[in-house]
Amino acid sequence: MSRIGKKIIDIPAGVTVAINGDKCTVTGPLGTLTKTIEPKLTYKLDGQTLAIENNNADTKYRAYHGLYRQIINNMVVGVSKGYEKRLTINGVGYKITQKGADLVLNIGFSHPVEVKAVEGITLATDKNEIIVKGIDKELVGQVALKIRDIKPVEPYHAYGIYYSDETVVRKEVKSGKK
């Protein structure tokens, strides 16, 4: 049995969870999320708690037990608190400009790179940081990854875009001596 799947999900005040067949809808102060879930698992909604049970012996459903528990928990946290990823831009002459909801990045290319805002995601800047906010954890991670992939960090000077909490492994500068 899954250790994560056994954990009970606490639903905060102001958040409602509705499970209808294979659809789970979570509504909170920040918005509404709907995802497709595995109908062969048992979902027990009791007041402000949600327990997920697995009655199947199949290996696939043992894996789904923890997965769908965590997906629903991420939805509950997303509609109550929201998610945020911070990206740092490092480089000589690199700068970020906010253009409405979009961002314009000047990061060493011959042209500025425009990052379009995705529905459900808020992009903001703070000096040399990009802040990606939203209620869907998966979507926030995907948008942050796409921005990071525009200019991956290079290991000698750490120029590029990287997560603020990421450890950048630096290489020693090559010397011309033999």
Side-chain angles (χ1 to χ4, degrees):
M1 194 153 187
S2 171
R3 291 182 188 179
I4 293 175
K6 288 183 196 177
K7 292 182 181 179
I8 293 174
I9 300 171
D10 293 322
I11 302 169
V15 176
T16 58
V17 177
I19 298 175
N20 297 324
D22 66 342
K23 294 280 185 208
C24 178
T25 304
V26 181
T27 306
L30 298 179
T32 302
L33 290 174
T34 303
K35 297 251 184 189
T36 303
I37 57 174
E38 180 57 49
K40 291 191 178 180
L41 297 174
T42 307
Y43 303 93
K44 292 185 179 179
L45 189 58
D46 182 34
Q48 292 301 101
T49 61
L50 175 66
I52 301 171
E53 294 178 2
N54 179 19
N55 300 326
N56 299 302
D58 191 9
T59 308
K60 178 170 80 171
Y61 293 104
R62 287 194 315 227
Y64 285 165
H65 187 206
L67 172 70
Y68 285 103
R69 185 260 175 213
Q70 195 61 37
I71 288 173
I72 294 171
N73 187 57
N74 288 343
M75 291 168 63
V76 169
V77 172
V79 298
S80 61
K81 297 177 187 172
Y83 287 102
E84 160 181 305
K85 289 254 186 199
R86 289 179 172 264
L87 298 155
T88 302
I89 292 185
N90 182 28
V92 178
Y94 289 11
K95 66 180 180 175
I96 316 160
T97 310
Q98 186 107 25
K99 183 179 174 186
D102 303 336
L103 296 178
V104 177
L105 308 175
N106 292 313
I107 50 175
F109 295 129
S110 61
H111 59 282
V113 178
E114 191 167 333
V115 178
K116 299 280 186 190
V118 178
E119 184 179 336
I121 297 295
T122 305
L123 299 173
T125 62
D126 181 31
K127 293 186 184 178
N128 66 335
E129 278 193 334
I130 299 172
I131 304 163
V132 183
K133 290 183 183 179
I135 61 172
D136 189 355
K137 186 175 186 178
E138 183 180 349
L139 188 58
V140 169
Q142 284 178 346
V143 171
L145 183 64
K146 282 187 178 181
I147 294 172
R148 184 177 175 268
D149 285 345
I150 293 171
K151 183 81 169 186
V153 67
E154 61 91 24
Y156 294 104
H157 302 289
Y159 292 162
I161 303 173
Y162 54 92
Y163 296 116
S164 295
D165 58 349
E166 180 181 358
T167 303
V168 177
V169 179
R170 304 266 316 258
K171 288 186 179 179
E172 187 177 325
V173 179
K174 296 177 184 177
S175 64
K177 300 177 182 176
K178 287 189 179 187

